[in-house]
Amino acid sequence: MNQLPAETIIKDQRIESKRVHINHVIGLAKMYKILQTELNRYETPYGERILFVCFVLCNFRPNILSKFC
């Protein structure tokens, strides 16, 4: 019977819990209308900055993570 060591399982669970939170924040960022359409040729050079600002704004939202995480 081949089983993974307990340390590996715990480490994998911690990584997976972070992945769930990251996916939640990405979902929150997608609510911004500017990210729902293609950028035109004038906005394209600022694409990285636009994305950064959207994610920064997500940090100001209450309850990104529940208090029990």
Side-chain angles (χ1 to χ4, degrees):
M1 182 188 291
N2 294 333
Q3 290 187 336
L4 294 172
E7 303 87 34
T8 304
I9 294 172
I10 292 170
K11 179 180 161 192
D12 289 348
Q13 288 173 343
R14 287 182 183 158
I15 292 170
E16 184 62 30
S17 72
K18 304 294 187 272
R19 188 175 295 129
V20 169
H21 300 314
I22 291 169
N23 287 334
H24 181 70
V25 171
I26 290 171
L28 290 173
K30 287 181 179 180
M31 72 172 216
Y32 294 104
K33 190 173 182 179
I34 196 166
L35 297 179
Q36 295 174 357
T37 60
E38 290 185 23
L39 299 177
N40 62 36
R41 65 185 179 132
Y42 302 108
E43 297 169 332
T44 302
Y46 302 107
E48 186 176 335
R49 291 180 182 177
I50 292 169
L51 189 62
F52 177 78
V53 169
C54 289
F55 278 102
V56 168
L57 290 173
C58 284
N59 283 331
F60 291 109
R61 293 178 54 95
N63 301 326
I64 290 177
L65 303 176
S66 69
K67 63 182 176 181
F68 300 109
C69 290

